[in-house]
Structure formats: C-alpha cells, structure tokens
Amino acid sequence: MKSNILFFCMMLFAYSLFAQGTWHTEAGTHILISDEATLHLDNISLLIEGDLDPGLGTIIVSGVASTTASRIESQGTIHFHNLTIQKEKHDVQLDADIQVANILSMQGGRLDLNGHQIDLGTTAYLLGENEDSYITSLSHSGGEISAKAMLISPQGANPGNLGISIQSDEVLGHTKIIRGHASHDVPQHGQSTYRYVDIIPENNQDLNAVLRFHFLEAELKQLQPQSLSLYHTFDEGITWSNGQLDNRNLTDKWLEVRHVQRMGRWVSAENHHPSSLQASSLGEIKLFPNPTSGALFIHLNAQTEQELTLSIVNILGQEILSRQSSLHPGWNEIKLDLSPLSSGVYLIRFPANSLSEFKVIRE
C-alpha cells in the first residue's frame, strides 16, 4: 500500500494503515498531493487527523467494501480538488464535512451525507449523478450539498449542477443554492420527497422567475410522480404555499413553476386535494393545481376509448377556449395553459353525458 501511495502522490507525512482497511493520517502530519496526481483508495476508508493539501489532484474511492468500511472521516473539514465516487458495490459514507474545489464525480455507488455538509463553493460542480449513483442520506439523518454563484439575469443557470435551473430577467446577485436530503411534512399533503432546495439570493423580490427542479425516482418514497406539486416556505416550514406546478417532464424527471416572485425553501409532495368528481362515462376526474398560476393538469379515468371535447368559460358564460382530446381506457392526462387568462374564476365544461361544470381559479 505504501508503494502505491508514493507512486500516485508526492507526500510529506507519517501515516498508519489499519488492518480493517483505513488509511489513517495522524495529527501533526501534512499530506501534499502534488500537481495533478491521483490517489486511489480501493476498499479503504480515509481518516484525516492531519492536514490534507489536495493540490490539483484527484482522490478516487472505489471497491466493494461495505458502506461502513468506506468512510471519509475527520474531526474537521476535508478539502478536495477532485473527488470521485466509484464503488462497484455498496456506498461511501461521510463522517466529516467536505469542500470540493473542482469536480465531485459520481461514477458508481451512492454518497451518504450522513448528516454532513458538502460545499462546492463558486467553482466546483457535481458530475454524473444518476439513478444508480447519487448523493443522498441513507439513514434519513439529513445533510446538504451547496453551491454559490453570481446570477445576473440567469437564463437556465444551474449552480453547482445541483439539479435546479433558474431563469429570470432580474439581477439576483450573490446566490446560494442548498440541496438537502430529508423529508418535510407539508400540512394536508403529507410527506415530501427526500429532496429539498433552498434558494437564497441577494435580491429576493419581484423576480418573476422560472424554476425547474430535477428529481430522482429513488427520492420519491412511495409518492407518484404524476401527482407531485411544488410547495415553498419562507419561515422554515411553519407555513407552506398552495401546491404549484406549471410544467413537468416525467421522462427527464423535472417539475417546473413559473412567475416566482420570491425564493425560499422548495419541496415536492403529492397534491392530496385536487378537485375531484365522478363522471358516468369518464370515471374519476382530477384537476390540479387548483388554484393555478398557469398550467392546469386534468387527469381522467376513461372507461372506454372516446373523443372528449372540453371548454373553458368565464363567469359570464363566454367560451374562452376549447380542447379536443382522444382518450384511451384508463388514466389520461390533459394539460391546459391558463397563463394568458386574467386572474379570476373559470369553469371547465365537459360533455353533457359526463360532467357539466368544474370550477378552477386562475391566480
């Protein structure tokens, strides 16, 4: 092991290698990873009690050892230039806060935050996250990964590549993005997924922003992605907004909300109170979010293959628009864009043989 370390890195330190597979650097030692060298820790935990100077190097954690035998541990914050998680089996557990200056690459296995913090600063980014290799909290003990950026009229900015896209014509200024992995209790809607996002801009008013939140299926628990809405809070979860959703893509796994004037903490949870009625030829019909700031999703449980025509009328009975859709047996989804309409109450009218009227509120 010693010869391999010296081959990959030039270091000035005294070190210990424990029998259980821990690379231990003792207090008072100094480790220097010179130039762009790579230190490969295969089936070995990393315990730093001395000083680690990452240089421009890369540390790779790999192998098939159990999660508890693949730890990154220290009493203080560990600094990395590049950190690669490359487990063939099991995962890697954080037992320390870490900072990454360049790339945090997920190439195999999960990185368990275990209640700790990952700081990407203004220069680093997350690479390669997917359904098989991602950052999470396996014991649901929480933990966060964060990044910072200067946002001036951002058009799809994704600081740190943390899975939140921000679009606005306004100057947000110095902005911090925090992605956490814990579930929240959203009153009347139950538990959220195991991901939340804090967006903390320097300017936090009249932003008229579009936010797109990516998610992983592994974070959903038993929640149904087609029923998710977005909820936000400004007071650490004391009060929550009504469910909002303007667009979604279940193939690429993202939810989008528009016309956001103020940032806060965002979570996704099922909308347990969509409008819902029974209709003789269509079965159950659900509309959400209601009220809506733009997009309205209509779920219809058709009993037979059929053509459906629906119309939207104002409170004066004037038809604003109509929509024809081909339905197949089972659940169908129709998306309506109400953003061009003025705020107020509208009626969704279905064919007379199914359902007459359905009230929807455009915020």
Side-chain angles (χ1 to χ4, degrees), residues 43-182:
N43 294 316
I44 294 175
S45 289
L46 176 64
L47 172 57
I48 300 293
E49 292 187 326
D51 178 32
L52 173 64
D53 183 347
L56 299 177
T58 298
I59 293 181
I60 301 174
V61 183
S62 63
V64 296
S66 68
T67 302
T68 55
S70 297
R71 303 186 316 278
I72 297 175
E73 184 177 358
S74 177
Q75 294 298 316
T77 300
I78 304 177
H79 297 263
F80 298 91
H81 185 70
N82 297 318
L83 174 62
T84 299
I85 306 302
Q86 199 179 77
K87 292 296 294 292
E88 299 174 27
K89 188 178 181 181
H90 300 299
D91 308 296
V92 176
Q93 177 179 298
L94 284 185
D95 284 328
D97 295 341
I98 68 172
Q99 291 183 349
V100 180
N102 192 38
I103 300 175
L104 173 53
S105 180
M106 303 298 299
Q107 298 181 12
R110 297 168 294 185
L111 180 56
D112 180 9
L113 291 167
N114 192 31
H116 291 282
Q117 308 287 319
I118 299 176
D119 183 3
L120 301 182
T122 60
T123 58
Y125 60 95
L126 180 61
L127 181 67
E129 249 191 333
N130 57 69
E131 291 289 349
D132 297 316
S133 184
Y134 54 90
I135 294 172
T136 187
S137 176
L138 295 177
S139 61
H140 309 310
S141 56
E144 297 174 332
I145 178 170
S146 64
K148 298 177 182 177
M150 170 64 76
L151 299 182
I152 301 175
S153 303
Q155 302 300 309
N158 183 3
N161 198 30
L162 296 184
I164 168 64
S165 173
I166 303 173
Q167 178 179 329
S168 174
D169 292 332
E170 303 302 321
V171 176
L172 280 70
H174 295 283
T175 303
K176 184 174 184 178
I177 307 297
I178 302 173
R179 192 182 96 187
H181 290 274

Side-chain angles (χ1 to χ4, degrees), residues 211-280:
L211 303 179
R212 179 175 293 181
F213 299 86
H214 290 263
F215 63 89
L216 296 172
E217 289 183 6
E219 300 166 339
L220 296 180
K221 301 186 292 183
Q222 302 298 319
L223 303 182
Q224 300 301 311
Q226 67 271 19
S227 298
L228 294 177
S229 288
L230 290 163
Y231 302 82
H232 67 271
T233 178
F234 305 121
D235 51 19
E236 300 183 352
I238 298 175
T239 57
W240 291 89
S241 69
N242 292 325
Q244 296 175 260
L245 189 67
D246 290 298
N247 200 2
R248 67 176 165 210
N249 187 315
L250 298 184
T251 301
D252 294 334
K253 301 171 187 172
W254 52 257
L255 307 172
E256 185 176 271
V257 62
R258 302 171 185 167
H259 310 298
V260 177
Q261 304 302 325
R262 182 183 174 194
M263 304 300 185
R265 171 165 294 187
W266 293 83
V267 303
S268 54
E270 285 185 333
N271 191 331
H272 287 169
H273 299 280
S275 301
S276 178
L277 289 175
Q278 295 292 327
S280 59

